[in-house]
Amino acid sequence: MARKVAIYARVSTEHEAQISALENQVQYYDDILSRHTDWTLVDRYIDEGITGTSIHKRDSFMRMLRDAKEKKFDLIVTREVSRFARNTVDTLQQTRTLKTYGVEVWFTEDNIWTMNDEDGELRLSIMATLAQNESKKISQRVKAGQMISFKNGVLYGNGNILGYDRVGDKLVVNKEQADTVKRIFELYLKGNGVRKIQDIMEQEGRKTATGLTRWQSGNVNRVLQNPFYCGRIVYRKQYVPDYLVQKKINNHGAVDKVYVEGTHEKLVSPEDFDRAQEIREKHRTGKRDKAGRLLGQSPCKNIWGNKCVCSCGHAMNRRVAHKAKDGSDSFVYQCYGQLRTGTPEGRRKKGLDTEGICDNSSFMGWKLEVQADFIFKKVLSNKEAIYKEAMAMAQDVAEVKAPERNDKEMLERNMRQIEKFNRQIANLVDMCTEGDISREVFRSKKKKLEDQILNLEKLNDECRQRVLELEDNEAKDRRIDSLSEFIRMTAFDSRAKIPETVIDNFVDQIVYDHGVFKWYLNPAYGNEIYSQATSDWKKKQLQESMNDKVLLPACTSTGSYS
């Protein structure tokens, strides 16, 4: 029978690449294809240097599943179950999914055909379980070996550490870089801040660990917080909680860190390092969690901070410029890149180079508010068009069947149930292999569980579709509410402030470049771009013009974007 065939191969480690080179695997499959002259090779899907415990880390594997769904082939040839996956649930789920696409998998070494072999899934389950157990044992052996390495002070990784050169498996002091590390600690302990030290490093022509002459505050902070410089080695800064997922996460106390005294040469004394940490702790501000760790910055809550970006690509930082007599704040916006490097003028005064430094000007926040007033009250003042837009969106929402509000909860509940059924199937496999139940009982019970899983997956597909429709409707509802608010606002007070909801729903982005603002409106208004030059604007004059109902300098449309 003529068949369209795909090949799947995986090489996971350097050792394996040596004993079973990829070229050898290609030849292996070529030999198989030569014996089946009625087969047509569609594609080869090969993952190199990727773990087998999780399919989601394998790009070629995921591409193969997508192509299978599009029915580009009807047979996958792979060497053995451990090449396909070392996770029992993944193996069973993916082969079942492939069956629904009409795609069979042939494991050549184990001689398992997932469709034709009567006992194929039972044998596949047994082999997948063995492969997963082997992965677990390997993980345990690796962890045991790591503990021995920790105690012996073995260095992991191959990254650069400022102050040292890597010679074989040891780090040897680099005198020039070591002087830089010592200088950083010296300056910090004398009361200089990180930003000041950053400038001094550039003034003195010192280089970072990667050989750059341009310093960032992060370069200085990494030196100050690295205990390696005082002779201490810290292991388990990150750890892998699940050997099947193989995803590293930062260790905030979930597992014990390991501290050892290294045999490498110290660049600072433990006493000076500890003093530096005490100073750093005093200077650290912000909210902390229950364990005392600093929490990350919360998303910007200011509407202009979310919408406005510098022409160099950085976000704009907002800070208070001054307080008015009525207690209100006036804000100024500046490129975040300049906060890290300094402005060109500031760098010139310090004798630092300005090449590649953003030279964009800062601006006062009231300029954004004035432009918003002009754009939304003048350019979009056609209330009839706005009303038609709102009615069209409302009609779209009404025509779509209202989704269930608890679909997300149902999805989560179904996924938990599917996992439960898969565990039950795995238990049935164990019972069958141990002889506790017959193959007939195994097949019967497994069939019932598989049917339940299939029904739940169909329900999930319907839920996902309704969730997408719900999210789309909710977005339209927000726009309708914004339009309604805009109409009500301008109907009773032509000088009312533009609501943030209107700006949030109808402005994609505002790009600022040396006094010129470009407003990118969202598709509700044809992806329009409005440009406004503001360099010669004076706040007092503009306020007088607005009070006298004089038209502001023209904000012009410059076309649309995609």
Side-chain angles (χ1 to χ4, degrees), residues 19 21 35 45 72 94 136 161 184 351 363 418 448 462 484 514 521 531 539 542:
I19 63 174
R35 296 197 296 271
Y45 301 87
K72 292 184 178 180
Q94 298 311 321
K136 184 175 182 179
I161 299 180
I184 290 173
F363 66 86
I418 288 173
K448 289 180 181 178
E462 295 171 2
S484 301
H514 297 84
L521 303 189
S531 181
K539 187 175 184 180
L542 286 171

Side-chain angles (χ1 to χ4, degrees), residues 486-504:
F486 176 71
I487 293 171
R488 288 195 304 271
M489 175 194 71
T490 54
F492 295 102
D493 184 0
S494 62
R495 293 171 56 188
K497 185 178 179 181
I498 303 296
E500 288 191 357
T501 53
V502 173
I503 296 167
D504 190 34

Side-chain angles (χ1 to χ4, degrees), residues 9 14 21 28 67 81 87 102 113 170 190 228 257 276 292 295 308 389 403 431 465 472 503 506 527 554:
E14 291 181 6
Y28 173 83
D67 289 349
V81 175
N87 179 327
W113 296 77
K170 297 186 180 298
K190 285 183 177 179
F228 192 84
K257 292 181 180 178
L295 298 173
C308 196
E389 172 70 24
M431 293 170 70
Q465 183 60 37
D472 185 48
I503 296 167
F506 289 97
N527 297 62

Side-chain angles (χ1 to χ4, degrees), residues 33-55:
L33 292 171
S34 67
R35 296 197 296 271
H36 295 82
T37 55
D38 55 339
W39 288 2
T40 302
L41 178 63
V42 174
D43 204 348
R44 300 176 191 269
Y45 301 87
I46 299 171
D47 284 310
E48 297 182 68
I50 305 294
T51 176
T53 51
S54 175
I55 63 168

Side-chain angles (χ1 to χ4, degrees), residues 165-391:
D165 291 327
R166 190 172 290 274
V167 179
D169 59 351
K170 297 186 180 298
L171 289 175
V172 179
V173 171
N174 177 312
K175 188 177 184 308
E176 181 181 348
Q177 292 183 6
D179 288 342
T180 298
V181 172
K182 294 173 183 177
R183 179 73 168 141
I184 290 173
F185 275 94
E186 175 191 351
L187 291 168
Y188 193 68
L189 293 175
K190 285 183 177 179
N192 293 282
V194 170
R195 181 59 185 276
K196 177 66 173 176
I197 297 173
Q198 172 187 337
D199 291 340
I200 293 173
M201 292 296 103
E202 292 193 30
Q203 289 167 348
E204 295 180 353
R206 297 181 182 273
K207 295 181 179 180
T208 66
T210 54
L212 301 177
T213 55
R214 180 73 50 76
W215 284 70
Q216 302 285 348
S217 58
N219 301 127
V220 178
N221 274 319
R222 278 191 290 275
V223 170
L224 291 171
Q225 67 188 15
N226 192 345
F228 192 84
Y229 293 122
C230 72
R232 302 169 188 159
I233 302 177
V234 181
Y235 296 106
R236 283 186 179 163
K237 294 178 183 177
Q238 292 183 316
Y239 74 105
V240 178
D242 187 343
Y243 76 96
L244 291 177
V245 178
Q246 289 291 314
K247 181 180 179 181
K248 284 186 178 181
I249 63 173
N250 292 328
N251 181 14
H252 294 301
V255 297
D256 292 335
K257 292 181 180 178
V258 179
Y259 299 84
V260 299
E261 283 294 323
T263 58
H264 60 282
E265 184 177 337
K266 303 173 185 176
L267 300 186
V268 298
S269 69
E271 293 75 21
D272 283 348
F273 180 81
D274 290 339
R275 279 178 54 213
Q277 303 321 298
E278 291 173 5
I279 295 171
R280 290 184 75 250
E281 192 61 30
K282 288 178 183 177
H283 289 171
R284 295 173 81 182
T285 58
K287 295 182 179 180
R288 297 174 183 265
D289 61 15
K290 293 180 180 179
R293 298 186 300 269
L294 279 170
L295 298 173
Q297 286 187 333
S298 59
C300 181
K301 296 178 181 178
N302 171 256
I303 187 66
W304 303 122
N306 285 324
K307 298 295 183 181
C308 196
V309 298
C310 178
S311 56
C312 74
H314 284 99
M316 303 296 291
N317 176 64
R318 185 184 78 157
R319 68 176 187 276
V320 175
H322 60 265
K323 280 187 176 292
K325 291 181 180 179
D326 61 1
S328 61
D329 293 327
S330 292
F331 297 100
V332 64
Y333 290 80
Q334 181 185 10
C335 171
Y336 260 115
Q338 291 180 355
L339 291 181
R340 292 204 295 266
T341 62
T343 63
E345 182 182 0
R347 291 179 65 85
R348 276 193 290 270
K349 289 180 180 179
K350 297 173 183 176
L352 304 176
D353 75 277
T354 59
E355 184 179 354
I357 299 298
C358 176
D359 63 350
N360 207 355
S361 56
S362 57
F363 66 86
M364 295 299 296
W366 60 263
K367 291 188 176 183
L368 288 166
E369 295 171 2
V370 171
Q371 290 174 83
D373 183 90
F374 181 80
I375 291 173
F376 285 96
K377 290 182 182 175
K378 301 296 190 294
V379 180
L380 304 180
S381 59
N382 188 341
K383 294 183 180 63
E384 183 179 352
I386 293 174
Y387 178 78
K388 287 181 179 178
E389 172 70 24
M391 291 303 98

